[in-house]
C-alpha cells in the first residue's frame, strides 16, 4: 500500500513534508536515516558507522531481559553478534523489571542508563516503547548535562507505539505519567522480520494507538478553538492521511503479519510519532482516550499490577470517547449553556481531586501531582471566556469541523476486529473492570492541563452517569 508520505523515502520524504503548512521550518532534525526493510538488521553496523562517524569501537546496547525471536534465532544475541562481526564491541545494559514484572519508564531507570553513557560511545537501544523511551531520555539528559551529542540509534522490535520517531518521552513522575521534552534518534532501524515475529498483541496495540486520532484530532481542535492550545496545526491530518480507509485496506496484511503489512504499520506509527514531534505536542494523537489510558495505568501502577498493552487500552478508551463524541455532537445545545456555571470553584476542584485520587494513592502524592497540572487548565479556562462564547456562537460550523475529524465507535471497532485486536476491556491483560474504566472516564480530565471533551462534559454539567450507561455497552 502506498502512503502519500513515506518516511522510508528519507530525503524525498523530508523535502516533501517541509512543504506542509505547519512544518517547523529552520529546525534541525537529526533523524535522517529510517530503514524499513526485510533484512534491515544486517545493515545496522553500516548505519551505526555512518551516523557515529567511525568504523568500529565500543557501542552501548540497551535492552530489557525479555527474550525475543527472529525466525529461528534469538533476536538480541543475533543483533549483538552482527555488531561484533562488523568490528563493534557491545557493552550491554539490561534494564531490570520492578515488582510488577515489567520495566517502566521512570527516573531511576533513566538515570541508571545515563550513568553508563560516555561522550564518544554510541548508543543503540534494542526494544519497543519503554526501552526506547528510557534510552532516548538518558541520551537527552546526558547531552543536556555535558553539552555533547550522543549518537543514538533505535532498533525497533515491535510496531507497538509511536515512541520511535518521537522527540518526547512519557515518564512516570510520582506514579503519574508526564510527557517530557526529549530528543529524536539519529537513525531508526525497522527490520521487517523482527517486527513480524514480535508478539502479535503488540502489533495489534500499534494499530490501536493510532486509532486515538478519531478522538484526539477533535479534542485538539476543540482545545484550539477554546483558546486552550496554541500549537494547533493541520500538519498531522495531512501527514497521516485518512487512517480509517488506510487501515481497512491493509488490515488483512497486518493480521497475517506479512512483511508488507509490517512495513505499512511501521510507517504509520512513524508518521504518528512525527506528527507529535513536529508540532511539539502530543495532543494530535493523545486526547481524552490517552488521559483515560494513563489513569488506568495509574490505577494498575499504584496497585502494583502490570500495565495493559498501551495501544489496545487506548483504542478501547477511544471507543468510549468516540461514542461520547457521537452523543455530544448530536445532543449538545449551545443555547442551553449557562456560562456563569461553566467555571468551577478551584478550591472545590482541588478537594475533589485530592479526594478521588486518595482512593488510589493514600499518600496524597498522586492527587497533588494531578492538581498541580489541572489548576493550570482551570486558570486558563477562566481567562479564555471570550473564546467559549465564540465557540457557542459558531457551534454549527465547529460541529461540522468536528464531525469531519472524529469517526464513530463502530468504525474503531470494525478496524480493531479486522486486525484481531481486543474488542472489550475484559480482554486486556490484565483485564480492566467497569469500575476502573468508569473511574478513569470520570476522573481522567482531572489529571492533566490538556483540555478534551472530558472537560467540557464537566464544565457544561453534562449528565455523565447517564452518558456512561450509554457508552459502556460498546466495550462491555
Ligand atoms: Zn499512545
Amino acid at each position: 500500500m502506498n502512503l502519500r508520505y513515506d518516511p522510508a523515502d528519507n530525503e524525498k520524504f523530508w523535502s516533501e513534508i517541509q512543504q506542509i503548512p505547519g512544518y517547523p521550518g529552520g529546525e534541525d532534525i537529526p533523524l535522517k536515516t529510517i530503514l524499513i526493510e526485510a533484512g534491515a538488521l544486517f545493515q545496522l553496523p553500516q548505519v551505526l558507522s555512518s551516523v557515529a562517524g567511525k568504523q568500529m569501537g565500543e557501542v552501548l546496547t540497551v535492552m530489557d531481559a525479555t527474550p525475543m525471536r527472529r525466525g529461528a534465532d534469538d533476536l538480541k544475541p543475533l543483533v549483538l553478534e552482527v555488531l561484533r562481526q562488523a568490528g563493534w564491541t557491545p557493552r550491554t545494559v539490561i534494564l531490570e523489571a520492578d515488582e510488577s514484572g515489567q520495566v517502566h519508564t521512570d527516573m531511576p531507570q533513566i538515570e541508571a542508563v545515563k550513568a553508563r553513557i560516555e561522550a564518544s560511545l554510541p548508543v543503540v537501544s534494542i526494544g519497543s516503547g519503554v526501552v526506547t523511551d528510557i534510552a532516548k531520555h538518558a541520551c537527552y539528559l546526558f547531552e543536556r548535562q555535558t553539552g555533547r551529542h550522543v549518537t543514538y540509534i533505535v532498533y525497533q522490535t515491535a510496531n507497538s507505539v509511536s515512541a520511535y520517531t518521537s522527540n518526547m518521552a512519557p515518564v512516570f513522575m510520582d506514579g503519574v505519567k508526564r510527557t517530557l521534552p526529549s530528543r529524536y534518534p539519529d537513525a531508526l532501524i525497522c527490520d521487517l522480520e523482527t517486527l513480524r515475529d514480535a508478539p502479535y498483541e503488540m502489533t495489534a496495540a500499534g494499530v490501536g494507538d493510532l486509532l486515538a486520532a478519531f478522538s484526539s484530532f477533535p479534542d485538539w481542535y476543540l482545545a484550539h478553538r477554546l483558546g486552550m492550545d496554541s500549537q494547533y496545526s493541520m500538519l498531522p491530518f495531512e501527514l497521516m492521511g485518512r487512517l480509517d480507509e488506510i487501515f481497512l485496506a491493509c488490515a488483512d496484511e497486518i493480521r497475517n503479519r506479512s512483511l508488507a503489512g509490517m512495513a505499512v504499520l511501521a510507517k504509520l506509527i512513524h508518521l504518528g510519532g512525527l506528527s507529535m514531534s513536529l508540532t511539539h505536542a502530543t495532543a494530535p494523537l493523545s486526547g481524552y482516550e490517552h488521559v483515560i489510558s494513563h489513569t488506568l495505568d495509574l490505577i494498575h501502577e499504584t496497585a502494583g499490577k502490570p500495565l495493559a498493552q498501551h495501544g489496545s487500552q487506548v483504542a478501547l478508551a477511544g471507543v468510549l470517547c468516540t461514542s461520547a463524541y457521537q452523543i455530544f455532537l448530536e445532543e449538545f445545545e449551545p443555547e442551553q449553556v449557562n456560562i456563569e456555571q461553566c467555571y468551577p470553584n478551584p478550591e472545590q476542584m482541588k478537594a475533589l481531586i485530592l479526594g478521588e485520587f486518595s482512593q488510589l494513592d493514600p499518600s496524597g502524592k498522586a492527587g497533588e501531582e494531578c492538581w498541580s497540572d489541572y489548576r493550570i487548565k482551570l486558570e486558563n479556562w477562566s481567562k479564555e471566556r471570550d473564546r467559549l462564547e465564540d465557540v457557542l456562537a459558531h457551534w454549527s460550523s465547529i460541529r461540522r469541523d468536528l464531525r469531519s475529524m472524529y469517526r464513530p465507535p463502530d468504525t474503531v471497532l470494525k478496524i480493531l476486529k479486522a486486525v484481531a485486536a481486543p474488542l472489550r476491556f475484559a480482554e486486556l491483560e490484565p483485564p480492566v473492570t467497569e469500575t476502573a474504566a468508569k473511574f478513569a472516564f470520570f476522573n481522567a480530565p482531572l489529571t492533566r492541563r490538556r483540555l478534551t471533551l472530558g472537560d467540557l462534559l464537566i464544565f457544561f454539567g453534562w449528565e455523565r452517569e447517564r452518558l456512561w450507561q450509554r457508552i459502556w455497552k460498546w466495550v462491555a
Side-chain angles (χ1 to χ4, degrees):
M1 159 153 227
N2 290 325
L3 299 174
R4 169 72 185 84
Y5 300 102
D6 184 340
D9 285 341
N10 288 297
E11 269 173 48
K12 177 169 172 266
F13 170 75
W14 287 105
S15 79
E16 279 184 356
I17 69 167
Q18 280 175 28
Q19 312 305 320
I20 305 177
Y23 185 88
E27 209 172 280
D28 180 39
I29 294 165
L31 177 55
K32 290 291 182 280
T33 309
I34 299 181
L35 210 57
I36 305 173
E37 289 173 22
L41 163 60
F42 302 99
Q43 295 188 57
L44 172 62
Q46 199 180 315
V47 172
L48 178 55
S49 297
S50 91
V51 293
K54 55 183 178 182
Q55 286 310 307
M56 56 186 71
E58 289 192 309
V59 52
L60 193 70
T61 47
V62 181
M63 55 187 86
D64 63 15
T66 310
M68 295 178 186
R69 304 296 301 174
R70 181 187 189 277
D73 294 300
D74 239 338
L75 174 70
K76 289 167 182 170
L78 177 63
V79 175
L80 297 179
E81 188 51 32
V82 167
L83 286 169
R84 270 188 214 105
Q85 291 209 346
W88 290 92
T89 308
R91 275 197 220 166
T92 298
V93 181
I94 307 274
L95 305 172
E96 303 290 343
D98 63 20
E99 61 276 8
S100 73
Q102 287 177 333
V103 177
H104 294 153
T105 312
D106 57 22
M107 278 321 213
Q109 293 280 13
I110 292 165
E111 289 294 338
V113 174
K114 180 171 156 259
R116 300 283 303 275
I117 298 177
E118 293 168 21
S120 55
L121 183 67
V123 177
V124 177
S125 62
I126 302 157
S128 57
V130 170
V131 172
T132 303
D133 283 324
I134 290 170
K136 167 170 75 184
H137 206 57
C139 291
Y140 172 77
L141 292 180
F142 180 89
E143 289 178 0
R144 288 279 303 253
Q145 197 182 325
T146 62
R148 300 192 58 179
H149 181 74
V150 178
T151 299
Y152 173 48
I153 297 180
V154 170
Y155 185 93
Q156 175 181 336
T157 58
N159 267 332
S160 47
V161 285
S162 51
Y164 314 106
T165 51
S166 167
N167 59 3
M168 292 168 268
V171 179
F172 276 106
M173 313 282 276
D174 285 328
V176 181
K177 229 178 213 181
R178 293 283 179 231
T179 303
L180 306 180
S182 196
R183 58 160 282 187
Y184 291 98
D186 296 295
L188 168 56
I189 311 280
C190 291
D191 173 65
L192 296 179
E193 291 85 349
T194 299
L195 298 177
R196 174 197 64 200
D197 295 343
Y200 185 72
E201 61 269 23
M202 300 184 83
T203 307
V207 175
D209 200 22
L210 290 171
L211 302 185
F214 302 149
S215 42
S216 63
F217 280 175
D219 277 337
W220 198 29
Y221 178 71
L222 263 180
H224 156 68
R225 293 298 302 249
L226 287 162
M228 301 290 285
D229 192 305
S230 56
Q231 282 157 306
Y232 183 81
S233 89
M234 293 293 283
L235 177 101
F237 305 76
E238 172 68 15
L239 200 54
M240 304 207 62
R242 296 188 67 99
L243 277 177
D244 50 345
E245 291 170 12
I246 296 170
F247 273 127
L248 288 169
C250 65
D252 289 348
E253 294 275 9
I254 293 173
R255 195 184 58 246
N256 296 329
R257 298 182 229 194
S258 73
L259 296 188
M262 295 305 101
V264 74
L265 180 54
K267 290 170 186 181
L268 290 169
I269 280 175
H270 300 154
L271 292 173
L274 288 173
S275 293
M276 296 188 271
S277 301
L278 296 172
T279 52
H280 300 282
T282 55
L285 284 171
S286 171
Y288 192 11
E289 75 300 320
H290 266 79
V291 270
I292 290 174
S293 174
H294 293 327
T295 306
L296 290 171
D297 286 350
L298 177 64
I299 293 171
H300 287 146
E301 165 91 358
T302 50
K305 284 194 203 160
L307 308 186
Q309 262 323 318
H310 170 76
S312 292
Q313 181 167 280
V314 162
L316 295 175
V319 174
L320 294 173
C321 296
T322 53
S323 174
Y325 256 113
Q326 192 166 44
I327 292 167
F328 185 77
L329 292 176
E330 200 59 43
E331 299 178 9
F332 177 59
E333 305 275 5
E335 54 284 352
Q336 286 179 6
V337 172
N338 179 340
I339 297 242
E340 297 307 323
Q341 288 175 1
C342 291
Y343 299 93
N345 175 298
E347 284 310 311
Q348 282 173 4
M349 292 312 276
K350 182 179 179 183
L352 173 71
I353 291 172
L354 297 183
E356 288 293 326
F357 287 91
S358 69
Q359 296 174 44
L360 306 182
D361 174 15
S363 81
K365 267 195 194 167
E368 288 289 350
E369 175 65 25
C370 292
W371 167 245
S372 72
D373 218 42
Y374 183 80
R375 62 193 288 263
I376 297 168
K377 174 161 60 185
L378 215 48
E379 280 166 19
N380 290 339
W381 174 245
S382 299
K383 276 190 217 141
E384 300 293 346
R385 183 175 167 145
D386 291 357
R387 301 290 292 268
L388 171 59
E389 287 171 3
D390 181 69
V391 164
L392 296 176
H394 298 99
W395 180 246
S396 63
S397 76
I398 289 170
R399 181 170 60 186
R400 196 171 55 234
D401 293 340
L402 290 168
R403 280 198 167 129
S404 73
M405 295 172 179
Y406 112 105
R407 294 289 180 275
D410 38 346
T411 302
V412 184
L413 285 167
K414 193 171 165 191
I415 296 169
L416 291 175
K417 192 165 182 217
V419 299
L423 302 175
R424 301 161 58 237
F425 273 107
E427 291 170 31
L428 296 178
E429 190 52 55
V432 171
T433 62
E434 181 179 352
T435 310
K438 188 176 174 188
F439 180 92
F441 184 81
F442 276 62
N443 293 310
L446 307 177
T447 64
R448 292 208 165 193
R449 76 181 74 176
R450 169 160 308 159
L451 182 119
T452 70
L453 177 64
D455 292 289
L456 295 190
L457 298 175
I458 294 173
F459 295 151
F460 292 159
W462 201 271
E463 270 188 70
R464 293 193 296 163
E465 282 290 344
R466 228 186 100 234
L467 179 66
W468 179 258
Q469 304 306 328
R470 295 168 72 188
I471 64 177
W472 174 248
K473 65 172 198 278
W474 289 101
V475 284

